[in-house]
Amino acid sequence: MLKGLLTLLFFQGVGEAISTFSDAPIPGSVIGMLLLLATLQLKQYLFNDYQPSKYAFFTGLNEAASFLIRWLALLFTPACVGLFFLPNMTLDQWIPVLAVILIATPLTLITTALLMNHLIQLHIKNISDEQS
Amino acid sequence: MNLLIMLLLFALTLVAFSVALWLYNKNNASRIARSLLHPLVVAPLLVSTALLSLNLDYDSYRLASEPFFFLLGTATVALAIPLHQQFHHIRDLAKPLLFTLFFGASFAVISAVTIAWCLGATIDTLNAISPKSVTTPIALGIAEKIGGEEGLTAGVVVLTGVFGATFGPIFFHWLGITDDRVKGFVLGLNAHGVGTTRAFDISPTCGAFSSLAMGLTGALTAIALPWIINILHL
């Protein structure tokens, strides 16, 4: 678990460093996430092992990750508190914000659900056509 | 600042979150009322009430909570593990998954920004709400890069997640969608972590596709959105 946490911190550090020095507008933690994903995929491809545990660098990674993800909601509670202490928010800005949550969210949800449902059915049909 | 106050402010989050979790598990109201009383809605309310009634300022609280913000970055890196474990689905279902991802992630941003702009939102508000469908730790990273107000981004993201996770399954029922892979992917794409928790209640397959969609949407939006905003500002 502690080793796993160190591995995560290592990738976080590398990601932050790349984000700072390259001036790329991508958040450092996302660069770290993509680097870790690439490393795990590469390792799986090269050594054909699925679980990240065989090498010291990867021990405890699953435990550390599930621990952090399990408590993710706790971790961003302080950021949400900021919603109640916004200095420049006026009433006329709350209307568009609420509208976005109440209108844009169901709109995107329904559109993506219908689209993907259609695409998956096409995909299933293609596979069964190929087999027959 | 006084160490004792710092310690108390840090503990305040832990206490408020525990109380919110306890209320959530104890609550035996209807399913919809229950999921709207998500700990992520109740805990910040409790913290804010405590800060206001004890006459403590938000800046001290923000400073004392710095460890949470740091670990949020670590947790973002940790999202690579579920993404890695579910990655093989992309190979099996490349076309439907990637097409829905590109369309859905762009549509989420475009619909939000268009609606807000039509109703008179300022540039600052637009920046803060544009990453609304992205998992909170990534959305906060994006907000930092594009200059959106942190509290507004977190609030909009969480409310989108809670709203999407509550009503998503009802919409699926109306639309006659029965495929758990579609339900999961759509929940993860639109309602990120809150939706993924809901998806794991439906079935393990649903949860797996939801965490895959959450990671992919977060990564895609984080890469594309700051570039697009940079170009638009020129």
Side-chain angles (χ1 to χ4, degrees), chain A residues 116, chain B residues 89-90 93-102 185 209 212:
Chain A
M116 184 169 164
Chain B
H89 292 302
I90 298 181
L93 287 166
K95 248 192 243 164
L97 290 187
L98 294 178
F99 200 82
T100 310
L101 169 72
F102 279 100
F185 203 79
F209 274 83
L212 181 68

Side-chain angles (χ1 to χ4, degrees), chain A residues 65-83:
Chain A
S66 12
F67 176 78
L68 283 173
I69 293 170
R70 188 173 154 226
W71 291 106
L72 203 53
L74 167 68
L75 296 181
F76 56 77
T77 297
C80 298
V81 174
L83 186 65

Side-chain angles (χ1 to χ4, degrees), chain A residues 5 8-9 11-12 19 24-30 32-34 36-37 40-41 44 50-51 61-62 65 68-69 71-89 92-97 99-117 119-120 123-124, chain B residues 17 40 44-45 47-48 52 58 61 65 68-70 72-78 80-81 84-85 87 91-93 96-97 99-100 103-104 107-108 111-112 115-116 119-122 125 129 132 136 138 140-142 145 149 151-152 154-156 158-160 163 168 171 177 179 181-182 185-186 190 222-223 226-227:
Chain A
L5 199 60
L8 292 175
L9 286 172
F11 278 95
Q12 187 182 6
S19 174
I26 307 166
S29 52
V30 176
M33 173 184 101
L34 293 173
L36 178 57
L37 174 68
L40 291 172
Q41 288 286 317
Q44 183 187 359
Y50 180 66
Q51 287 303 325
L61 200 53
N62 278 353
L68 283 173
I69 293 170
W71 291 106
L72 203 53
L74 167 68
L75 296 181
F76 56 77
T77 297
C80 298
V81 174
L83 186 65
F84 301 99
F85 296 89
L86 293 169
N88 306 319
M89 274 297 272
D92 65 319
Q93 292 301 298
W94 280 110
I95 296 163
V97 168
V100 163
I101 296 165
L102 298 177
I103 301 168
T105 306
L107 200 66
T108 319
L109 213 118
I110 291 171
T111 322
T112 42
L114 287 175
L115 173 72
M116 184 169 164
N117 202 39
L119 291 173
I120 283 246
H123 181 80
I124 294 169
Chain B
F17 196 79
L40 270 174
L45 266 172
V47 174
S48 316
L52 290 172
Y58 174 69
Y61 173 73
S65 302
F68 290 108
F69 284 89
F70 177 81
L72 215 44
T74 320
T76 307
V77 179
I81 278 89
H84 167 67
Q85 286 164 346
F87 213 71
R91 256 161 267 155
D92 306 337
L93 287 166
L97 290 187
F99 200 82
T100 310
F103 175 82
F107 192 74
S111 63
I115 290 174
L119 292 169
T122 59
T125 309
I129 59 167
K132 86 179 209 345
T136 317
I138 298 183
L140 287 173
I142 298 175
K145 286 288 182 191
E149 183 84 53
L152 185 55
V156 172
V158 165
L159 292 175
T160 298
F163 188 71
F171 291 141
I177 288 164
D179 193 329
R181 296 174 297 183
V182 177
F185 203 79
V186 170
N190 288 285
I223 293 170
W227 286 108

Side-chain angles (χ1 to χ4, degrees), chain A residues 2-22:
Chain A
L2 283 180
K3 270 188 189 164
L5 199 60
L6 276 175
T7 307
L8 292 175
L9 286 172
F10 170 78
F11 278 95
Q12 187 182 6
V14 173
E16 289 296 347
I18 293 176
S19 174
T20 311
F21 292 117
S22 72

